[in-house]
Amino acid sequence: MKLITAIIKPFKSDDVREALSEIGVNGMTMTEVKGFGRQKGHTELYRGAEYVVDFLPKSKVEVAVADDQVEMAIEAICKAANTGHIGDGKIFVTALEQSIRIRTGESGNDAL
């Protein structure tokens, strides 16, 4: 099992959710976060004053998948989140040692 964590632009969240649902991913966690990468934030004007916005709004998608679904999930996220502009995001894949469904006690892939 793997845990896929994707940091994406907030307006792409629904597209990513739909793309993952289409390939059979049953559940995911979506969190509103702030951060920056190579963008290094940007400057904005507010009431005539210029100020720097260091942390940009992002969405963090976390999804646990079986090993045989990893490549399909990565491909689905990449296609759905891509705008072709800087700040599209990153995907991180980490090993997931165990998962347990609290209600039934199922573990491993059965708990996903």
Side-chain angles (χ1 to χ4, degrees), residues 28-87:
M28 67 190 73
T29 302
M30 183 97 47
T31 312
E32 292 179 14
V33 295
K34 290 186 177 195
F36 68 91
R38 290 185 180 165
Q39 294 171 273
K40 304 279 192 278
H42 64 276
T43 57
E44 288 187 2
L45 279 173
Y46 180 71
R47 295 190 177 181
E50 189 174 283
Y51 66 99
V52 177
V53 177
D54 289 327
F55 292 98
L56 302 171
K58 301 286 181 183
S59 289
K60 179 178 172 182
V61 180
E62 294 174 300
V63 58
V65 296
D67 289 328
D68 60 343
Q69 285 186 305
V70 173
E71 292 305 318
M72 286 189 307
I74 290 171
E75 196 174 309
I77 293 168
C78 284
K79 284 182 181 175
N82 186 8
T83 66
H85 296 94
I86 190 167

Side-chain angles (χ1 to χ4, degrees), residues 92-109:
F92 306 100
V93 181
T94 53
L96 190 60
E97 291 188 30
Q98 189 174 9
S99 65
I100 300 164
R101 185 178 310 231
I102 294 172
R103 180 177 52 87
T104 62
E106 293 172 297
S107 63
N109 285 340

